[in-house]
Amino acid sequence: MSARNIFVVGLNDDNHERLLRLKGAEEWRFHRIIAPEAVYDTEEFDIPAMLEEAGQTLDRFGRPIDAIIGYMDFPVSTMLPILCKRFGTRSTSLESLLKCEHKYWSRCVQREVVPQYIPGFTAFDPFDEAALGQIGAAGLSFPFFVKPIKSSGSRLGFRIETPEDFALAIDRLKAEIGSIAEPFNSVLDQANLPPEIAAIDGHYCMAEEIIGGWQCTLEGYVHDGEVVVYGVVDSIRYPGVLSFFHYLYPSALPQRVQQQMIDATRLVMTRTGFDQSAFNVEFFWDELQDRIWLLEINTRISQSHCDLFEKVDGLSHQQVTVDLALGQRPRLPHREGAYAVAAKFFYRVFFHDATVERVPSAQTLAQLEQDYPGTVISLQVEEGQRLSSLPEQDSYSFALAYIWMGGDDYQTLLRRYQQLAARLTFAFGDIDS
């Protein structure tokens, strides 16, 4: 049997290594389309140019193209249905994907089937001087949360407590939303949208009732119309702020709560028409009220969770993406990994800005990985860099390093991380706190 050719948008070395460890990888050949730095290390996305480049690469290939996949959020996720349709490979439709990724359209769909889990929301134009009044007229009062209609990570998301907070957020949104809105609009132009959705383009924002609690992510897929959830990952924040401290797998949520979220996910994903692709859905559980809230849907696996599944289940859940793209039911093992629990930690500083003057040496990082077997440390900064130049950061902090670790139990895992973190040394100048 000849090797099957799988093209990966933005394929980098780390992902390539993981892909080669998947079941069936000996029968696959992975090829890169679009350089990883074009989708990882920038906030400027020329989607028409990237689609043209990818199309030319695929046209020149001259052999069968069996699958086109990717693991990134915007812009990769939104390009995949377009490329797959053009080259006849498996993917969900662009419209079904946008019912998940267009925040306003997604909320409208969610409200149709699980209204009890959806906060109050409205769309608004940040360039409209009357926006705050329109938000109030929609029934939202302080505090509320605002974010772009197509968000990317936690970027440009703000908790609004006062009119002054809103004014500051609007200034940021006006200055920066174009880098998301313009490429997203180039995708919307290729979709068949209902008129009421077409009117809410990429320059719009969402205002939503504040929701919170124990946050988690359900990783799943749809295969021939069947919605399957195969793992739940907790998202733990630093105390008192919106920034993530770590992701934890498996979830420590009560099973009945997880099942309630799974049932809601099946209803929503079925209504969107999403199929033949992986997804994840983020939820909150308000423990005091014993109530769940649906936060958002992402139309891909989480790259941040790949190492967690590998440590606990024995394989990265990239297996799901590849299997689906090749038209077969995913073959993901369960609890066959080396660890009972695993986490991705975010080593952060809470500055407004600063210049990085010193980072841990390669020797230090290698020693830490040796002292804590199974640990992977990925620095996100380099000497001389301004923190404000980092892409995909939240509005309150900067992630200096990502650290993946496994353990026999959660408390042991936390203790090992704290010991490791104490040995990471950074230095900063020109600090704006």
Side-chain angles (χ1 to χ4, degrees):
M1 178 179 177
S2 59
R4 306 191 77 179
N5 296 300
I6 301 167
F7 283 82
V8 187
V9 179
L11 179 63
N12 60 18
D13 291 342
D14 289 342
N15 275 319
H16 196 190
E17 289 177 9
R18 283 202 184 98
L19 288 168
L20 294 175
R21 296 197 290 269
L22 300 181
K23 292 180 181 179
E26 66 279 359
E27 300 173 356
W28 306 334
R29 296 293 179 269
F30 296 102
H31 310 271
R32 187 179 76 187
I33 44 172
I34 304 177
E37 55 270 18
V39 292
Y40 282 92
D41 301 326
T42 180
E43 292 178 350
E44 301 296 326
F45 305 118
D46 187 341
I47 288 182
M50 285 192 282
L51 287 171
E52 178 64 23
E53 175 191 339
Q56 290 177 0
T57 300
L58 293 164
D59 281 333
R60 290 194 301 265
F61 185 60
R63 283 169 281 162
I65 298 169
D66 297 289
I68 305 171
I69 63 173
Y71 303 109
M72 284 286 292
D73 191 7
F74 186 77
V76 174
S77 57
T78 49
M79 291 192 289
L80 287 173
I82 298 169
L83 288 171
C84 290
K85 182 177 180 180
R86 175 177 169 183
F87 290 93
T89 61
R90 294 171 187 82
S91 172
T92 197
S93 68
L94 179 60
E95 288 74 20
S96 66
L97 179 137
L98 290 172
K99 287 180 185 178
C100 303
E101 291 210 7
H102 185 297
K103 300 301 181 186
Y104 180 70
W105 197 2
S106 187
R107 281 301 194 205
C108 291
V109 172
Q110 295 162 27
R111 189 170 56 187
E112 292 173 2
V113 289
V114 288
Q116 69 274 32
Y117 303 144
I118 308 305
F121 67 93
T122 190
F124 70 93
D125 181 354
F127 296 91
D128 188 339
E129 296 292 333
L132 185 56
Q134 294 167 2
I135 291 170
L140 294 176
S141 57
F142 297 112
F144 56 87
F145 197 77
V146 300
K147 56 187 174 183
I149 209 76
K150 177 66 196 97
S151 58
S152 181
S154 300
R155 184 177 168 223
L156 296 180
F158 303 92
R159 182 184 173 99
I160 306 299
E161 302 274 357
T162 65
E164 291 75 20
D165 287 345
F166 186 74
L168 290 171
I170 287 295
D171 287 343
R172 282 279 305 277
L173 288 162
K174 286 180 178 178
E176 300 179 32
I177 198 170
S179 64
I180 300 174
E182 291 164 17
F184 189 53
N185 281 344
S186 72
V187 173
L188 296 180
D189 288 343
Q190 300 195 45
N192 295 315
L193 304 176
E196 66 274 17
I197 301 302
I200 310 296
D201 75 1
H203 289 93
Y204 272 70
C205 293
M206 291 285 286
E208 293 192 348
E209 177 186 357
I210 295 291
I211 57 177
W214 187 331
Q215 187 172 352
C216 68
T217 301
L218 277 63
E219 294 280 0
Y221 63 85
V222 188
H223 176 66
D224 290 343
E226 180 187 6
V227 181
V228 176
V229 173
Y230 56 83
V232 182
V233 180
D234 290 337
S235 302
I236 313 298
R237 297 180 186 271
Y238 281 87
V241 295
L242 292 174
S243 303
F244 289 117
F245 176 25
H246 60 274
Y247 301 145
L248 175 69
Y249 180 65
S251 171
L253 278 166
Q255 286 299 317
R256 65 172 183 83
V257 175
Q258 294 187 42
Q259 188 59 54
Q260 192 177 358
M261 294 174 175
I262 291 169
D263 292 343
T265 296
R266 287 174 175 152
L267 289 170
V268 171
M269 297 310 296
T270 298
R271 180 59 65 96
T272 64
F274 193 82
D275 204 1
Q276 311 302 343
S277 298
F279 67 85
N280 65 62
V281 185
E282 299 177 47
F283 285 91
F284 287 113
W285 176 46
D286 183 333
E287 189 171 1
L288 292 178
Q289 299 186 62
D290 193 19
R291 179 173 185 177
I292 70 169
W293 296 102
L294 196 161
L295 177 58
E296 66 180 14
I297 305 169
N298 301 301
T299 57
R300 38 75 187 168
I301 65 165
S302 169
Q303 281 196 88
S304 289
H305 299 165
C306 288
D307 188 77
L308 309 187
F309 279 91
E310 197 163 22
K311 281 179 164 52
V312 174
D313 289 335
L315 275 180
S316 164
H317 62 158
Q318 290 165 314
Q319 185 78 49
V320 172
T321 299
V322 178
D323 282 344
L324 288 168
L326 292 173
Q328 56 201 30
R329 182 175 294 277
R331 302 163 293 170
L332 192 65
H334 184 71
R335 306 299 187 262
E336 296 179 17
Y339 301 94
V341 297
K344 175 188 179 180
F345 293 95
F346 296 82
Y347 185 100
R348 296 184 182 274
V349 290
F350 293 84
F351 300 148
H352 180 69
D353 204 358
T355 299
V356 181
E357 294 186 343
R358 187 176 72 250
V359 301
S361 67
Q363 293 82 358
T364 296
L365 299 180
Q367 187 63 54
L368 286 169
E369 291 181 348
Q370 180 178 327
D371 292 346
Y372 297 91
T375 295
V376 177
I377 305 172
S378 175
L379 290 187
Q380 301 300 299
V381 295
E382 57 187 25
E383 292 180 4
Q385 185 174 16
R386 286 294 281 177
L387 293 178
S388 56
S389 70
L390 288 169
E392 298 298 329
Q393 301 296 303
D394 64 37
S395 300
Y396 304 96
S397 68
F398 297 97
L400 306 182
Y402 302 150
I403 302 164
W404 289 268
M405 303 182 77
D408 295 331
D409 59 73
Y410 182 44
Q411 292 305 318
T412 301
L413 184 60
L414 276 180
R415 184 169 62 253
R416 294 178 74 228
Y417 168 73
Q418 290 161 356
Q419 292 168 351
L420 181 150
R423 295 167 58 184
L424 286 175
T425 54
F426 294 83
F428 303 93
D430 302 321
I431 297 173
D432 181 358
S433 58

